[in-house]
Amino acid sequence: MAGAGDAQTRLDQIVQLIAAELHAEVCSCYLMRAGDILELFATVGLNPSAVHRTRLRVGEGLVGTVAASARPLALADAPSHPNFAYRPETGEEPFRSLAGVPLLRGGRVRGVLVIQHLRARNYSEDEMETLQTVAMVVAELASAGELVGAGEISTAGDAGVLQQRLAGIGINSGLAMGQAVLHRPRLTLSELVAEDPEAEFARFGEAVSTMHASIDVMVQQSREAVPGDTADILESYRMFARDRGWLGRIREAIAQGLTAEAAVERVQQDNRTRMAQVADPYLRARLDDLEDLTNRLLRHLSGKRSPIETALPDDVVLVARALGPAELLDYDRVRLRALVLEEGSPSSHVAIVARALDIPVVGRCAGALSRIEAGDPLIVDGDNGQVLVRPGEDLIDAAARAMATRADRRLSYQAMRDLPAVTRDAEPIQLCINAGLVIEMPQIADTGAEGIGLFRTEIPFMVRATYPDVAAQTALYSEVLEQANGAPVTFRTLDVGGDKTLPYFPAADEENPALGWRAIRIGLDRPAMLRIQLRALVRAAAGRDLRVKFPLIAEVAEFDDARRLLDRELARAAKEGIAPPSSVKVGVMFEVPSLLWQLDALLKSVDFVSVGSNDLAQYLFAADRNNPRVGSRYDPLSPAFLTVLDRLAERCRAARVPLSICGEMASRPLEAMALLGLGVRILSMTPRAVGPIKAMVRSIDSRQVGEFLKPLLSGRERSLRPKLRAFARDHGASIEDIALVR
């Protein structure tokens, strides 16, 4: 690879070396050409005149078989194989045994490496492993574009591909198919040192002005196309673009003799180095915004077109290491089907914008850019956090059927939208949705939900560059209540800490942040923050109902302290002559098991209880839900977890305190069916889940579910899921989730 000479010379040397090391009479290398043709590019042992003359189609002969299957092949008696194809110009007739391995890069076959021996022999595992290791090196040489032109490489090898399944996390649910478009906006710098700094300053100033103008246009267009909270994200991005510190450091680098392009890259390298030492996930995510701005500024300096401006397929699945929110909006939203990120988190700006665009997103998909090539067909399963690369016809058909089923069911759910959520035994069920952005409020009417069971107030905090004051928060909560149009909205106070951080609030350095300083603990330790939020909520609810719940309450004393702060804000509003809410209901998020031993005191103090099933499960089972080794180890349909919920539901009924579930359990038909059997009558879920859950509600007899389920709670099974699924099937319950077959 690193030897002297051109690529052909190096390839000739490689086959000679392999033949010598493996004591083979023949070593040959075939490379893929356009049209699924394998051409002999180098050989030791066969006739030299056959090089560049001998060609095989994919699937033809033993070499073509290796390419078609993308798998190694070892034969002690090659001529006896039914796929053997003798090519007289090669002079290979004397050779009996053959071993061939595919040259794989990015999951695609780029050629085949073959060794042959005169006598019949079996190839050992060590020999095959050695050949496969060498094939990796040869594949890199073959993909460099020196032996076969880069344009031909991009169209060659479509027949010999490996299907892959990449795992990540589902950042936005949904199922989509399309062609991969790789987001690699980096530009190669040709000149680093400037002869005329003044000219570079002028070029830089002009490029910055042009960039600012283009960002202004983009922000305005996005306000019209994607209104709501995304405006805050883009305003934050625009503030980055005008940051004096960033631009000043670039000017300093120009003054030191660098070209404008080199200065921009130099400053961004410094940013990467500093950010690499930062543990705060929010601040790390801001590096994506700076990367976006760096690439954008470099394009304006170079005058080169954005890769986004080139021709795109009709169905785009965007694949990137990371992405800024503006970069996503650069792509044609009509063609954009899904997003795959090597990094990314649910709280990143690009994730929030993607949710507003309603496209599936899979993040933390390790190695996506190295294992996916431009034009590869992809299936993105945001529900299960999976990306299927180069799927076979069976999976494409399955995905197409699933998408068609989703579309059909969406129509049936739409037709069911205005029907009541009532069980067959006449039990009314209240279905609400979870939200965190103003843009999601129309989903109440769109889904037929009865209100917002959980409004995550931290999300608007996370998309801002500075802490919102009372006026800003009041305006936000007023708009939420206004758009709810009289439907109840339950606001959860600021739930930050752990994996949710604010850019303007120092994150605690904790070994186990899930058990650390977060949620109500921050609010009570920093009462000014909590009081500002409660003050804004009281003012926004003037003349309307106010529903507030406090997260991560571990003991009744914490609830009492938080309630006193709310009472002080209500008294303050009355003193200032501000119209009070028409009613005030205060509750808790039941997430910490310690409250089970204070239920009597708790239920005398609260107006309602909401179970956060995700956190309750991780605390009950001592299993980090973000850890893939243990996160799925414990099933919420286990007797242990359902027994906790059963006892809680029973105590709430006796105390006449409404109980709701607003975690993931409420969004899944089978789990929701079990909850109804336990007596839960209020469910809050993702908007997409309202239709399936309502269909389930209307298809079951909740009394029968309870009679079947409760005797099972004393059992020893790890999960009651199979028995509940069998019950649902036998009783005609609609509990089917629309997801890709795994």
Side-chain angles (χ1 to χ4, degrees), residues 273-398:
T273 301
R274 291 202 312 273
M275 290 289 195
Q277 311 302 318
V278 175
D280 187 313
Y282 187 94
L283 294 179
R284 289 289 299 276
R286 299 293 67 74
L287 180 61
D288 299 340
D289 294 352
L290 287 172
E291 290 277 8
D292 178 357
L293 286 167
T294 295
N295 297 331
R296 202 173 291 267
L297 185 50
L298 286 172
R299 287 199 301 271
H300 284 293
L301 281 166
S302 66
K304 294 183 179 179
R305 296 174 61 198
S306 165
I308 300 167
E309 297 171 9
T310 58
L312 293 174
D314 291 335
D315 299 313
V316 173
V317 175
L318 190 58
V319 183
R321 180 190 62 79
L323 207 65
E327 288 177 299
L328 182 63
L329 292 172
D330 280 335
Y331 287 86
D332 183 352
R333 286 157 229 163
V334 175
R335 301 181 182 211
L336 191 60
R337 298 288 178 264
L339 176 62
V340 177
L341 298 170
E342 288 192 335
E343 299 178 2
S345 69
S347 61
S348 65
H349 282 176
V350 72
I352 294 170
V353 173
R355 281 195 287 273
L357 296 175
D358 195 26
I359 60 172
V361 182
V362 173
R364 300 181 194 171
C365 194
L369 283 172
S370 62
R371 299 165 73 180
I372 298 173
E373 295 202 1
D376 276 345
L378 302 178
I379 298 174
V380 180
D381 182 5
D383 298 328
N384 301 303
Q386 295 185 116
V387 179
L388 303 180
V389 186
R390 298 175 290 273
E393 290 296 326
D394 56 339
L395 278 176
I396 290 175
D397 291 344

Side-chain angles (χ1 to χ4, degrees), residues 405-632:
T405 302
R406 284 170 181 260
D408 291 343
R409 290 192 176 178
R410 273 197 298 268
L411 292 176
S412 68
Y413 298 148
Q414 190 68 17
M416 196 187 297
R417 182 189 63 183
D418 298 326
L419 297 178
V422 179
T423 64
R424 293 199 333 242
D425 55 326
E427 283 287 334
I429 309 300
Q430 186 176 341
L431 303 184
C432 299
I433 61 173
N434 302 332
L437 296 168
V438 173
I439 197 173
E440 296 174 295
M441 297 306 293
Q443 295 279 9
I444 299 176
D446 294 344
T447 62
E450 296 186 41
I452 304 293
L454 167 64
F455 190 90
R456 302 180 177 96
T457 61
E458 63 274 5
I459 294 179
F461 281 70
M462 294 167 68
V463 302
R464 291 173 175 265
T466 58
Y467 187 84
D469 59 16
V470 173
Q473 290 189 54
T474 301
L476 168 66
Y477 305 142
S478 295
E479 187 174 2
V480 169
L481 291 169
E482 188 68 29
Q483 292 207 24
N485 197 28
V489 177
T490 303
F491 293 94
R492 182 178 68 188
T493 60
L494 199 58
D495 185 3
V496 293
D499 60 348
K500 293 180 287 188
T501 58
L502 304 179
Y504 38 78
F505 190 78
D509 184 14
E510 299 175 303
E511 290 188 7
N512 193 338
L515 298 178
W517 197 52
R518 52 170 292 209
I520 197 63
R521 298 167 183 176
I522 294 177
L524 295 177
D525 288 350
R526 298 288 186 272
M529 287 179 62
L530 183 54
R531 287 193 65 182
I532 287 173
Q533 183 175 33
L534 295 173
R535 190 177 308 156
L537 286 166
V538 169
R539 293 183 178 185
R544 293 180 284 210
D545 295 332
L546 175 61
R547 295 176 58 86
V548 178
K549 55 185 173 185
F550 299 109
L552 208 73
I553 295 292
E555 55 185 9
V556 173
E558 288 179 333
F559 172 78
D560 291 340
D561 290 342
R563 178 62 197 254
R564 275 192 288 271
L565 293 179
L566 175 58
D567 289 340
R568 289 174 64 181
E569 292 306 321
L570 289 166
R572 175 179 179 144
K575 185 177 180 180
E576 294 176 353
I578 297 172
S582 58
S583 70
V584 178
K585 301 289 185 184
V586 188
V588 296
M589 290 291 294
F590 193 98
E591 300 160 296
V592 184
S594 58
L595 278 182
L596 284 169
W597 286 269
Q598 283 196 297
L599 279 179
D600 287 339
L602 178 70
L603 295 177
K604 291 176 182 177
S605 306
V606 299
D607 297 307
F608 61 90
V609 173
S610 291
V611 175
S613 60
N614 303 353
D615 270 336
L616 179 60
Q618 84 166 338
Y619 296 138
L620 190 69
F621 292 119
D624 181 358
R625 58 191 172 103
N626 292 319
N627 183 332
R629 291 187 174 182
V630 298
S632 59

Side-chain angles (χ1 to χ4, degrees), residues 62 75-86 92-98 116-117 120:
L62 299 178
L75 299 169
D77 186 12
S80 66
H81 193 281
N83 288 357
F84 179 79
Y86 173 61
E92 64 180 340
E93 186 176 5
F95 305 104
R96 301 292 296 172
S97 54
L98 175 147
Q116 293 172 268
H117 286 80

Side-chain angles (χ1 to χ4, degrees), residues 698-734:
R698 293 177 59 84
S699 71
I700 68 162
D701 183 314
S702 63
R703 179 184 51 80
Q704 288 181 349
V705 177
E707 290 174 351
F708 171 79
L709 175 61
K710 291 195 176 185
L712 300 177
L713 298 183
S714 58
R716 300 169 65 92
E717 294 99 332
R718 297 189 65 177
S719 173
L720 300 180
R721 186 175 298 274
K723 291 183 177 179
L724 284 167
R725 191 173 293 279
F727 173 89
R729 184 177 59 250
D730 294 344
H731 290 77
S734 176

Side-chain angles (χ1 to χ4, degrees), residues 197-213 247 250-251 254 260-261 264 297 300-301:
E198 291 303 321
E200 297 302 309
F201 279 123
R203 291 180 58 239
F204 176 69
E206 182 179 351
V208 169
S209 297
T210 305
M211 181 185 71
H212 287 168
L247 297 174
I250 297 173
R251 292 190 180 94
I254 294 174
E261 291 90 343
V264 172
L297 185 50
H300 284 293
L301 281 166

